Structure formats: C-alpha cells, structure tokens
C-alpha cells in the first residue's frame, strides 16, 4: 500500500518528534476544535483552529458538559484554559486546568475579518469538492 500524504512520516518515532518539536504556526492548526452542529451547518466547516474568546463546551473528561470562554491558548503545552474550569491547590490558590482542543466543541466563534475569510475559504473548497464528486 502506498502512502497517501508523502510529507507526513509513518514512523512513530519521527511522527512524535515532528509533533513535539512543531513550530507555533503548525501547532495552531494541530490545536483545532470541532464546531457545534449549528455552526457546522451554518458555515459548512467541520473544525477550525481554536482562539482566545471562543465559547466552548467540554465534551470529554471529568469536566464534560461544562461551558465557558477560552481564556488562553497555550500552544507550548497543546492545551487551552477555560474560564471557571480550575483546580484548587493545597494552599487554596486556584490554577486553570489544561484541556486539549480536540476534547471541546466550539459553540460560539469570536469572529473577525481574518476568521471570516478562513471560514469562507474552507466552505468554498468543500462546495467545489462536492460539485466535482457529483459530476
């Protein structure tokens, strides 16, 4: 069987090295989160890189079902911090819990000019692909 994408490595060791030594620009795309059903239908886009001020719902783990706004996107650790999702330390101080973006669902996008262009571009590509497959 031939490789589908020749720019990616199938070796576990090399794939892990590429993942953990990826630059910030690549980490942004890795840290994409799926959109909610309503947003998916509206924009015709399945997932998008997560961003500060997006509103999300946690869909996996002990905090499943909790909603909130993204307070920070920690690319170095591949996690996001959500408001009110914190853990109390033994000294009483509260620290934000890191959640992986794949385990959340975006319910409200913080829209701006660039984000709208990205959504438009992805939707246009999907529409063209669907048109080609029908023909």
């Amino acid at each position: 069987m031939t490789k589908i994408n020749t720019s990616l490595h199938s070796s576990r060791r090399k794939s892990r090295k590429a993942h953990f030594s990826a630059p910030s620009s690549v980490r942004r795309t890795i840290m994409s989160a799926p959109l909610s059903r309503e947003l998916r239908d509206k924009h015709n886009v399945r997932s998008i890189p997560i961003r500060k001020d997006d509103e999300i719902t946690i869909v996996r783990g002990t905090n499943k079902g909790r909603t909130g706004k993204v307070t920070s996107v920690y690319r170095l650790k591949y996690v996001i911090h959500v408001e009110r999702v914190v853990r109390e330390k033994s000294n009483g101080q509260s620290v934000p819990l890191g959640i992986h973006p794949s385990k959340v669902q975006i319910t409200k996008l913080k829209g701006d000019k660039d984000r709208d262009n990205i959504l438009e571009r992805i939707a246009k590509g999907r529409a063209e692909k669907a048109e080609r497959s029908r023909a």
Side-chain angles (χ1 to χ4, degrees), residues 106-118:
I106 300 173
T107 53
K108 189 163 180 270
L109 290 164
K110 181 182 190 294
D112 64 348
K113 190 175 52 159
D114 297 329
R115 205 105 186 265
D116 295 338
N117 288 343
I118 292 167

Side-chain angles (χ1 to χ4, degrees), residues 3-135:
K3 285 175 84 172
I4 295 164
N5 189 348
T6 54
S7 65
L8 296 174
H9 234 282
S10 54
S11 160
R12 174 178 162 86
R13 178 170 67 173
K14 290 181 181 179
S15 296
R16 283 178 57 82
K17 182 172 170 56
H19 179 80
F20 292 110
S21 63
S24 185
S25 56
V26 175
R27 285 175 186 244
R28 178 180 167 270
T29 52
I30 292 171
M31 292 179 72
S32 291
L35 299 178
S36 66
R37 175 78 59 200
E38 301 82 52
L39 288 174
R40 208 186 309 169
D41 294 339
K42 182 182 173 188
H43 298 293
N44 193 22
V45 173
R46 189 170 187 86
S47 69
I48 193 163
I50 203 151
R51 183 193 161 164
K52 187 179 174 180
D53 294 332
D54 282 346
E55 286 180 29
I56 58 107
T57 303
I58 301 170
V59 293
R60 287 284 182 275
T62 52
N63 292 300
K64 184 178 183 174
R66 305 223 0 223
T67 59
K69 195 179 272 192
V70 176
T71 54
S72 70
V73 178
Y74 206 146
R75 287 189 191 167
L76 190 68
K77 290 185 174 179
Y78 283 109
V79 295
I80 59 167
H81 294 143
V82 183
E83 66 181 10
R84 296 186 309 275
V85 180
V86 292
R87 184 173 188 268
E88 296 296 319
K89 284 171 65 170
S90 57
N91 66 1
Q93 191 181 1
S94 63
V95 287
L97 273 177
I99 296 152
H100 195 274
S102 66
K103 307 302 175 199
V104 302
Q105 197 174 57
I106 300 173
T107 53
K108 189 163 180 270
L109 290 164
K110 181 182 190 294
D112 64 348
K113 190 175 52 159
D114 297 329
R115 205 105 186 265
D116 295 338
N117 288 343
I118 292 167
L119 286 166
E120 207 173 287
R121 189 175 69 224
I122 296 170
K124 193 173 116 186
R126 282 194 164 211
E128 284 176 11
K129 190 175 179 182
E131 207 172 280
R132 266 189 273 133
S133 65
R134 266 191 251 128

